[in-house]
Amino acid sequence: VVSPDAICAQYGADSLRLYEMFLGPLEQSKPWNTAGITGTHGFLKKLWKLYFNENGPVFKSEAPSPEQLKTLHKTIKKVTEDIESFSFNTSVSTFMICVNELASQQCVSQEILAPLAILVSPYAPHIAEEFWEAMGHEESISTAPFPIFNPAYLVESEKEYPVSFNGKMRFKMTLPMDMSKQEIEAAVLAHEKTMQQLDGRTPKKVIVVPGKIINIVG
């Protein structure tokens, strides 16, 4: 028998809650291994660093980037589905992926971090309450409306195409997804790297598969 009081004293109640949900589906029996709790404890430390550094809060009222909105809304979508199906273990995995992505994007936008705190609050209520209070809210985060998924933020508006010459990829270029084959062909042929590769030659064929590949046969 492992006393939860001892675990809470060492790692905190939120680490214990997350670890128990991360073990696997609710209906399955799961082996208890105290060593595994360091993983969820480490995740909460990383989550904390999204909101605070050694000097205090880092979040700001600045507009989020499209990448940050995409990360947030795919997280909202997955966590909402997981809650409805009681798949709490996959929600914890989703949070870990989300925090890693936002950290790499250097996200400090409160427009992203506030909804994230609400998403996390059923799983780690104590740390989420700290975030919420630091953002200036006087009422508990438990009273905040749950974030709503907006599919518009997951629609890809641009595509990074690999541009190949005779089957060998030479460079990449980003183009709008709504461009026609003819527009894509014109754009890639006008690119300076294409001109360098062709060196004045006229290509025999330009193969364009919108949303996938561009291959120039010389």
Side-chain angles (χ1 to χ4, degrees), residues 163 165 171 173 175 183-195 206 208 214 216:
V163 181
F165 290 81
F171 67 94
M173 65 184 298
L175 297 170
E183 290 170 331
I184 294 171
E185 181 177 334
V188 73
L189 289 176
H191 198 283
E192 99 180 85
K193 290 185 178 178
T194 301
M195 294 179 181
V206 179
V208 175
I214 302 169
I216 299 172

Side-chain angles (χ1 to χ4, degrees), residues 14 44-45 47-48 52 117 120 124-132:
D14 284 346
L44 289 176
K45 287 182 176 178
L47 176 65
W48 181 268
F52 298 96
V120 169
H126 302 88
I127 195 171
E129 203 72 65
E130 291 284 342
F131 298 153
W132 199 242

Side-chain angles (χ1 to χ4, degrees), residues 91-160:
S91 283
V92 179
S93 299
T94 301
F95 288 136
M96 291 176 175
I97 294 168
C98 175
V99 169
N100 284 337
E101 289 185 6
L102 291 178
S104 67
Q105 295 162 3
Q106 298 181 330
C107 178
V108 294
S109 172
Q110 190 164 327
E111 194 175 323
I112 299 294
L113 298 178
L116 178 60
I118 299 170
L119 281 178
V120 169
S121 62
Y123 297 80
H126 302 88
I127 195 171
E129 203 72 65
E130 291 284 342
F131 298 153
W132 199 242
E133 183 179 341
M135 290 178 180
H137 299 279
E138 294 184 359
E139 294 185 353
S140 169
I141 195 171
S142 62
T143 65
F146 202 76
I148 297 172
F149 165 63
N150 185 342
Y153 292 119
L154 301 192
V155 176
E156 296 287 352
S157 60
E158 294 183 328
K159 166 70 179 177
E160 186 180 55

Side-chain angles (χ1 to χ4, degrees), residues 31-47:
W32 174 267
N33 181 1
T34 309
I37 203 170
T38 56
T40 54
H41 187 61
F43 159 70
L44 289 176
K45 287 182 176 178
K46 186 174 287 189
L47 176 65

Side-chain angles (χ1 to χ4, degrees), residues 9 16 20 32 62 87 94 97 99 102 129 161 178 182 189 198 202 205:
L16 177 61
E20 289 189 322
W32 174 267
E62 66 176 39
S87 301
T94 301
I97 294 168
V99 169
L102 291 178
E129 203 72 65
Y161 286 90
D178 58 359
Q182 292 75 18
L189 289 176
L198 291 174
T202 301
K205 187 188 293 186

